[in-house]
Amino acid sequence: QVQLVESGGKLVQAGGSLRLSCAASGRTFNHYAMGWFRQAPGKEREFVAAITWNGDDTSYADSVKGRFTISRDNAKSTQYLQMNSLKPEDMAVYYCAVRRNRYISRFHYEYDYWGQGTQVTVSS
């Protein structure tokens, strides 16, 4: 059974930082690209960041570029999203995703496995 479990979401003040984690289990994800998406109430799920299977390449949404950093530790089958300088508009449920392909995609329908989501709340 494939499982992705996110953690790290919580309430933080604007300007603060959080680090989200996503632990994968059930199979080896070391050869797959991974990504983060988010969904705010009343809005569609949107791309946040993605990383190739070996971490050599990353991609970010323009809205988070320079503030968020995606990384992965294949030995732990875990990916991370370091979020700095958080803004109220970053508030959403953040989802971890895995794509059965080595390379990045910014499209949610190209990801095959999803976590249950973790809530990030940013107070102004």
Side-chain angles (χ1 to χ4, degrees):
Q1 184 76 8
V2 172
Q3 190 173 23
L4 300 175
V5 179
E6 301 103 331
S7 60
K10 63 180 182 181
L11 171 64
V12 64
Q13 286 190 331
S17 297
L18 281 178
R19 189 175 84 153
L20 305 183
S21 300
C22 172
S25 62
R27 64 176 300 159
T28 300
F29 291 96
N30 294 353
H31 298 295
Y32 295 155
M34 302 181 82
W36 290 93
F37 291 76
R38 67 187 182 187
Q39 189 166 18
K43 295 188 176 181
E44 294 187 352
R45 189 167 300 191
E46 66 172 357
F47 170 76
V48 176
I51 188 167
T52 51
W53 68 284
N54 60 358
D56 277 3
D57 193 19
T58 57
S59 179
Y60 297 93
D62 288 344
S63 58
V64 307
K65 200 173 295 182
R67 300 187 297 120
F68 291 11
T69 303
I70 189 172
S71 62
R72 64 188 295 163
D73 183 343
N74 284 346
K76 297 181 179 180
S77 295
T78 300
Q79 70 161 334
Y80 306 95
L81 185 68
Q82 177 66 43
M83 305 187 293
N84 299 328
S85 302
L86 282 160
K87 304 175 181 180
E89 51 263 43
D90 294 319
M91 185 162 58
V93 177
Y94 282 71
Y95 296 92
C96 164
V98 171
R99 183 177 187 230
R100 287 184 298 183
N101 186 291
R102 293 190 174 198
Y103 302 104
I104 288 167
S105 170
R106 300 166 71 97
F107 302 104
H108 64 85
Y109 53 79
E110 293 190 340
Y111 285 78
D112 301 285
Y113 305 107
W114 291 86
Q116 82 289 351
T118 186
Q119 176 71 48
V120 172
T121 302
V122 183
S123 64
S124 56

